[in-house]
Amino acid sequence: MLGLSVSVFSVLLGALTFLVCIWFVRRPSNLPPGPWSLPIIGYRFKPGLIHETFIEMAEKYGPIFSLRRGPFLVVVLNDISAIKQALVKSAEFLPGRYVPGHIKWTIPESNNNASVVWSSGKPWEDQRRFSLHALRSFGFGKKSLVPQINLEARYLAEEIKSLRGKPTDLMSTLNKATANVISQLVFGRRYEYDDMEYIEALQAMVDVFASIPETDPVVVLKFLIHTPWYKKYRDACSRSKKFIMSQLYMHKDTFQKENIRDYVDAFLADDISKEYTLEEFWRIAFDFFAAGSETTSLVTSWAILYLASHPEVQRKVQMELDRVVGRGRQPATEDRQDLPYCDATLMEVMRIRPVLAVIRRLASADLTTKGFFIPKGAVVMSNVWAVHHCPKTWSKPHLFNPDRFLSADGRKVKKSESWLPFGIGRRECLGIQLARMETFLFFTNLFQQFEFKLPSNEPPPSLRGQPGLTIPPQPYRICAIER
């Protein structure tokens, strides 16, 4: 009798396992082709950069393919036409972002819409509308912000001059400068570069962005965040929240409705504060503070590395700056039209090393893209890296060549629909105007004043980048020689 019970249990367990397998590997008709995925876990990625893996898979399965990650069906788009059809022409079916598990853990459980980056629907629209109105009143994306950015560029230059050309990793210094620009908009103040509270907060943000690669299982299995493997990430998030909350409480204690000083004050004075408590609003403020500093610092760091690795490009940039701006004043946004080679060089930096390699969306309804069926609930990932490195669009895409963005006579910058560093469609980067202004001014200020050289006694640094939510360069040291 006991043997019969064991046999029945084994049969039932086998049947249940079979049904679970069918559930996770079933493929709706006309789904994009793709690799076999394991039950429960889904596709097992090899270690490394996910966008590179997607390019390899596209060579085997085509520019649109699908796979499973945990409980999610993922459809990957690797060419510009598929991305435009999905994110522009079918934007109403892809209105929200897919929120990775470790990111979802940081959003307050009391209000899962407390994030301007990761929310969807009306809450996202309301936050975006409020944020743009509030930040623009303090100069966000306007020429009135130029003196403030140039002042920070001067502080940055003085900090770099103090190094006297010694080989140094400048990433943390760049973070301090770019974070100060957004800090003045959000918190109404800048920090000294030796402020320990500020240094620790910025390091916490770096750890948040870099701790977990896109291929990590916690991206799709949120419950794993509570395991010991993710303690560093949890601690970094706690330190970031502590810093943001200290700013919010200080603003609450000193708030005067007739004297709105910054973005946080604008929140306290607006009706939107009735929808989010201060303990929920911290996540929205973090979005602006972190993203507003991370983008510019990464682009600037990549620009320094690439121009130091391509000194002929650096010379052309500096020759143009010397001719148009000279050494007696700082660059201004009005100079941009007369600095096409500088502008093209920045565009090439953002092409060859985009800050975000992939864009995530969540299908709110069934849709069809390029003849393939994408079911409701699927995660749609647009591989920006693949678009930026497509040989059909870009001649020798893996070579660093600013001339690809210039007209034949070199006097005008050429645009391309395949250049997507700030995303595409209705959820294009909220801070695109500020990011373009900031990156241009920091870039031109630095190369006006310094020549950047790789240390002669050290091996050349890698240009591949590190896995994470964004793509920072691997740590490298540089010599900044005052011109």
Side-chain angles (χ1 to χ4, degrees):
M1 181 66 70
L2 179 61
L4 180 61
S5 299
V6 171
S7 298
V8 171
F9 176 80
S10 299
V11 170
L12 290 174
L13 181 61
L16 178 61
T17 302
F18 176 77
L19 290 173
V20 170
C21 291
I22 293 297
W23 172 263
F24 280 100
V25 303
R26 74 195 192 286
R27 301 180 68 83
S29 61
N30 208 31
L31 199 67
W36 172 263
S37 299
L38 293 170
I40 311 297
I41 298 173
Y43 183 77
R44 290 189 64 184
F45 287 95
K46 61 183 181 182
L49 301 170
I50 196 169
H51 50 269
E52 294 179 349
T53 301
F54 283 165
I55 289 178
E56 293 175 5
M57 294 171 72
E59 292 175 355
K60 181 176 182 180
Y61 298 106
I64 304 177
F65 61 85
S66 62
L67 52 88
R68 284 199 172 272
R69 296 198 65 191
F72 299 99
L73 172 69
V74 178
V75 176
V76 184
L77 312 177
N78 288 275
D79 68 19
I80 186 61
S81 61
I83 291 173
K84 286 187 70 175
Q85 183 170 337
L87 301 191
V88 179
K89 296 179 182 178
S90 300
E92 69 271 22
F93 302 113
L94 296 163
R97 295 185 190 272
Y98 163 69
V99 186
H102 60 297
I103 300 294
K104 189 177 294 184
W105 176 79
T106 69
I107 299 173
E109 291 186 2
S110 58
N111 192 334
N112 59 16
N113 285 307
S115 170
V116 73
V117 173
W118 302 104
S119 59
S120 301
K122 189 176 184 301
W124 170 73
E125 293 174 356
D126 290 344
Q127 287 181 46
R128 182 183 176 92
R129 188 182 305 110
F130 158 74
S131 297
L132 281 174
H133 176 75
L135 290 170
R136 281 172 180 165
S137 66
F138 301 110
F140 184 81
K142 295 181 180 180
K143 290 181 180 179
S144 59
L145 201 61
V146 171
Q148 188 173 307
I149 297 173
N150 268 340
L151 175 61
E152 196 61 48
R154 291 201 295 274
Y155 285 122
L156 173 61
E158 290 302 315
E159 186 76 5
I160 295 175
K161 287 176 184 177
S162 70
L163 301 172
R164 301 185 182 279
K166 295 178 182 178
T168 308
D169 185 340
L170 292 178
M171 193 68 222
S172 62
T173 305
L174 295 175
N175 281 341
K176 294 171 189 174
T178 58
N180 261 337
V181 174
I182 194 67
S183 176
Q184 290 181 75
L185 291 170
V186 176
F187 302 131
R189 62 163 296 183
R190 71 173 299 277
Y191 294 83
E192 297 299 327
Y193 290 0
D194 60 356
D195 186 309
M196 288 308 301
E197 180 190 24
Y198 188 50
I199 292 171
E200 291 172 3
L202 294 182
Q203 184 56 55
M205 286 197 301
V206 170
D207 292 341
V208 167
F209 277 98
S211 294
I212 299 177
E214 183 67 45
T215 55
D216 196 288
V218 76
V219 171
V220 290
L221 300 172
K222 175 189 169 184
F223 67 89
L224 293 175
I225 196 68
H226 301 288
T227 61
W229 293 286
Y230 303 101
K231 185 178 186 303
K232 180 180 179 181
Y233 179 82
R234 296 196 306 270
D235 289 347
C237 291
S238 296
R239 298 199 312 272
S240 295
K241 181 178 180 180
K242 180 180 178 182
F243 172 76
I244 299 293
M245 289 305 301
S246 70
Q247 307 303 312
L248 300 188
Y249 287 136
M250 181 190 69
H251 276 71
K252 184 179 180 181
D253 291 341
T254 59
F255 174 71
Q256 296 177 328
K257 193 164 187 177
E258 66 277 6
N259 179 29
I260 304 302
R261 300 162 292 185
D262 46 44
Y263 178 71
V264 176
D265 273 359
F267 164 79
L268 294 172
D270 194 88
D271 286 342
I272 199 170
S273 62
K274 299 174 183 176
E275 301 176 30
Y276 303 95
T277 65
L278 214 59
E279 287 69 24
E280 294 167 344
F281 180 69
W282 86 266
R283 191 58 180 76
I284 299 173
F286 174 80
D287 283 345
F288 280 104
F289 185 63
S293 57
E294 178 83 354
T295 299
T296 303
S297 62
L298 286 188
V299 172
T300 306
S301 184
W302 276 118
I304 290 172
L305 178 55
Y306 262 94
L307 268 65
S309 303
H310 297 80
E312 73 285 358
V313 174
Q314 185 169 181
R315 283 193 295 271
K316 289 183 181 180
V317 163
Q318 290 169 334
M319 287 173 61
E320 187 176 68
L321 281 166
D322 290 346
R323 186 180 70 253
V324 175
V325 182
R327 307 286 184 88
R329 67 173 178 88
Q330 288 182 272
T333 51
E334 290 84 357
D335 295 317
R336 193 170 206 144
Q337 62 182 357
D338 299 318
L339 295 169
Y341 193 79
C342 289
D343 206 3
T345 300
L346 261 180
M347 293 175 71
E348 176 67 348
V349 170
M350 288 187 273
R351 179 199 69 83
I352 202 165
R353 293 296 180 266
V355 173
L356 287 175
V358 295
I359 302 171
R360 309 173 189 85
R361 295 288 186 272
L362 193 65
S364 62
D366 294 346
L367 70 147
T368 301
T369 296
K370 292 289 183 177
F372 289 111
F373 174 68
I374 301 177
K376 178 181 178 180
V379 178
V380 178
M381 299 186 72
S382 299
N383 191 353
V384 172
W385 184 279
V387 174
H388 279 194
H389 291 79
C390 177
K392 295 179 181 178
T393 303
W394 313 97
S395 175
K396 300 178 180 179
H398 296 288
L399 295 182
F400 183 69
N401 178 21
D403 289 332
R404 69 175 82 248
F405 286 103
L406 290 173
S407 59
D409 61 7
R411 295 181 178 180
K412 293 183 179 180
V413 173
K414 294 190 302 185
K415 305 295 183 181
S416 171
E417 68 170 10
S418 295
W419 188 71
L420 309 174
F422 300 105
I424 188 174
R426 65 195 299 259
R427 293 203 68 142
E428 183 182 57
C429 175
L430 177 64
I432 181 172
Q433 291 178 311
L434 176 61
R436 287 198 52 131
M437 179 189 295
E438 243 191 298
T439 52
F440 174 77
L441 290 173
F442 275 112
F443 175 82
T444 52
N445 268 281
L446 288 174
F447 284 95
Q448 179 195 44
Q449 299 183 59
F450 300 99
E451 180 182 1
F452 293 95
K453 293 183 176 182
L454 297 173
S456 57
N457 60 342
E458 297 182 11
S462 170
L463 294 171
R464 189 166 176 235
Q466 300 182 82
L469 189 62
T470 54
I471 311 177
Q474 295 180 24
Y476 69 92
R477 301 206 302 166
I478 200 79
C479 300
I481 313 299
E482 194 173 351
R483 298 179 70 210

